[in-house]
Amino acid sequence: MEISSSQYDLLIIGGGPIGLACGIAAQAAGLTYIIIEKGCLVNSLYRYPQNMTFFSTSERLEIGGVPFVSVNPKPRRAEALEYYRRIQQKFQLHIRLFEEVTMVHQQDTGFEITTSKSVYQARHVVVATGFYDIPCLLDIPGESLSKVSHYYNDPHYYAEQNVVVVGASNSSVDAALETFRKGANVTLVVRGEGIGPRVKYWVRPDIENRIANGEIRALFNSRLTEIRPKEVDILTPDGLITIPNDFVLALTGYQPDFAFLQKIGIQLADDASKEPYHNPETMETNIPGLFLAGVVCGGMNTHQWFIENSRIHAEQIVRQIVSGAPLKR
């Protein structure tokens, strides 16, 4: 394993938009830094559905003062990937891709960071790992079958198939509509009484009309109880039903890597939010010199932080580092 001989001012864990923003802020302040990303550049965005349209307008996704020009006011996934790739090229950010951070040890002079490929030394560390890597599981029999996916990519794959989509969020609604339009027989299974309140306003009429017309079957106040190779069981208000099934898209949300946060010593809230402790003014955690940035700050409150309102974390963190203010002990 390679061992870095120099100590960085800042090591950033996560190469998503907020991790890149932290790198840009560090570079502007004259800090030495390195970004470590376990997947490809902006890995979480890469895993979004191919046809996804952002809820935010393009200017609210901008970082580094670089304009984000898109065909429509709300950009699509492909446009966002191109934008952030060009951000990387413009700023020539120091980033290591396909390298996973496995441990962060606090030392007298900063931190030792161990990855799948190397060991680094840094005075400060930022965790900007998002929440898209670990799905919230159904915890039911059959969930491990190969026909079950917690991520959705392209609708063509499901043409002429019996598809169950679990959830009432934007990802679930998009998957139900797109697979339906590619010829899938879609059943939408929702625990609550209706479509989620955060579903994009321009999509809501579409899904509601498809349900009203009987083109997409929606089972509300219902839950999947078992998955088998050719069928599934669904508990509905009228009792347990069994329907034919080829694929299950269990799009029930995602969560931060709480195990990693705890392993490196970050305290989590005792309530259901599991919000990692941090000072909202400096973004510093309970560990001096270790910061949080981006959507990971919300814990299970995954709708609290977005690119548009967490871009400022980068400036807050770098300001704290360069101010020379004593770290809390």
Side-chain angles (χ1 to χ4, degrees):
M1 178 177 287
E2 177 188 349
I3 299 178
S4 175
S5 59
S6 60
Q7 184 185 55
Y8 294 97
D9 293 321
L10 179 62
L11 184 141
I12 301 156
I13 306 174
I18 304 306
L20 298 183
C22 289
I24 292 169
Q27 189 168 282
L31 301 177
T32 58
Y33 70 95
I34 188 76
I35 304 170
I36 308 294
E37 166 56 55
K38 71 177 181 180
C40 65
L41 188 69
V42 290
N43 191 64
S44 293
L45 298 192
Y46 177 77
R47 299 182 70 178
Y48 283 179
Q50 286 190 10
N51 300 324
M52 195 203 82
T53 299
F54 282 81
F55 192 91
S56 303
T57 53
S58 57
E59 69 271 12
R60 304 187 75 177
L61 302 176
E62 294 173 356
I63 59 175
V66 178
F68 184 170
V69 179
S70 58
V71 175
N72 297 304
K74 298 178 187 299
R76 300 176 74 86
R77 167 188 174 272
E79 292 174 306
L81 292 178
E82 181 66 13
Y83 172 74
Y84 292 114
R85 185 178 67 81
R86 289 178 179 270
I87 286 287
Q88 164 62 22
Q89 290 181 336
K90 172 180 173 59
F91 290 96
Q92 291 294 295
L93 297 171
H94 304 299
I95 186 168
R96 304 281 180 88
L97 301 173
F98 301 102
E99 183 172 346
E100 182 175 6
V101 173
T102 57
M103 191 59 197
V104 177
H105 286 289
Q106 188 176 26
Q107 300 179 324
D108 291 339
T109 58
F111 298 89
E112 180 181 83
I113 302 93
T114 304
T115 76
S116 56
K117 298 180 180 180
S118 188
V119 177
Y120 301 88
Q121 305 293 325
R123 292 177 53 240
H124 307 88
V125 172
V126 172
V127 178
T129 50
F131 67 89
Y132 201 58
D133 287 325
I134 302 177
C136 299
L137 300 179
L138 299 172
D139 289 325
I140 62 173
E143 189 171 11
S144 61
L145 290 173
S146 60
K147 72 173 191 174
V148 180
S149 177
H150 294 280
Y151 295 91
Y152 163 71
N153 188 9
D154 184 80
H156 172 80
Y157 186 79
Y158 303 99
E160 305 300 323
Q161 302 296 293
N162 293 311
V163 177
V164 165
V165 179
V166 182
S169 64
N170 279 299
S171 57
S172 303
V173 168
D174 285 345
L177 288 169
E178 291 181 8
T179 53
F180 156 71
R181 291 201 163 94
K182 295 300 181 182
N185 175 31
V186 179
T187 300
L188 184 63
V189 179
V190 179
R191 279 183 175 268
E193 297 180 353
I195 298 301
R198 295 189 181 93
V199 168
K200 293 172 281 197
Y201 64 84
W202 65 91
V203 174
R204 178 177 293 277
D206 192 2
I207 187 65
E208 290 178 342
N209 287 334
R210 300 293 73 72
I211 293 171
N213 292 342
E215 296 166 295
I216 292 176
R217 182 185 188 186
L219 299 174
F220 296 113
N221 297 306
S222 302
R223 60 185 177 89
L224 212 57
T225 59
E226 185 171 349
I227 304 168
R228 293 184 292 276
K230 289 296 180 181
E231 59 188 13
V232 296
D233 292 339
I234 306 169
L235 184 61
T236 75
D238 297 323
L240 189 69
I241 65 171
T242 300
I243 63 172
N245 175 257
D246 298 302
F247 293 99
V248 173
L249 293 172
L251 307 179
T252 50
Y254 308 92
Q255 59 184 306
D257 189 346
F258 293 118
F260 174 75
L261 296 178
Q262 290 181 303
K263 183 171 75 169
I264 65 176
I266 296 177
Q267 295 176 359
L268 305 181
D270 294 331
D271 57 26
S273 74
K274 296 185 180 180
E275 182 176 319
Y277 174 83
H278 61 281
N279 182 329
E281 294 182 1
T282 65
M283 307 311 296
E284 191 176 12
T285 68
N286 55 286
I287 301 174
L290 181 57
F291 299 84
L292 294 177
V295 296
V296 68
C297 300
M300 288 302 296
N301 295 324
T302 54
H303 296 285
Q304 179 176 343
W305 294 104
F306 306 91
I307 298 172
E308 61 194 55
N309 67 350
S310 63
R311 295 175 296 182
I312 62 170
H313 293 170
E315 297 177 1
Q316 290 176 269
I317 293 167
V318 171
R319 187 184 307 120
Q320 172 68 12
I321 292 173
V322 300
S323 70
L327 301 174
K328 64 179 185 295
R329 297 291 176 182

Short mmCIF file of all heavy atoms in Angstrom, two decimals, residues 193 214 278:
data_model
loop_
_atom_site.label_atom_id
_atom_site.label_comp_id
_atom_site.label_asym_id
_atom_site.label_seq_id
_atom_site.Cartn_x
_atom_site.Cartn_y
_atom_site.Cartn_z
N GLU A 193 -51.40 6.86 2.40
CA GLU A 193 -52.73 7.00 1.80
C GLU A 193 -52.68 7.52 0.37
O GLU A 193 -53.70 7.51 -0.33
CB GLU A 193 -53.58 7.95 2.65
CG GLU A 193 -53.83 7.42 4.06
CD GLU A 193 -54.68 8.38 4.88
OE1 GLU A 193 -54.95 9.51 4.38
OE2 GLU A 193 -55.09 8.01 5.99
N GLY A 214 -56.69 3.67 -14.49
CA GLY A 214 -56.44 2.24 -14.37
C GLY A 214 -55.24 1.75 -15.18
O GLY A 214 -55.03 0.55 -15.32
N HIS A 278 -22.76 18.21 14.58
CA HIS A 278 -21.89 19.21 13.95
C HIS A 278 -22.35 20.60 14.37
O HIS A 278 -23.52 20.82 14.66
CB HIS A 278 -21.92 19.08 12.42
CG HIS A 278 -23.28 19.30 11.82
ND1 HIS A 278 -24.25 18.33 11.81
CD2 HIS A 278 -23.83 20.39 11.21
CE1 HIS A 278 -25.34 18.80 11.21
NE2 HIS A 278 -25.11 20.05 10.86
#
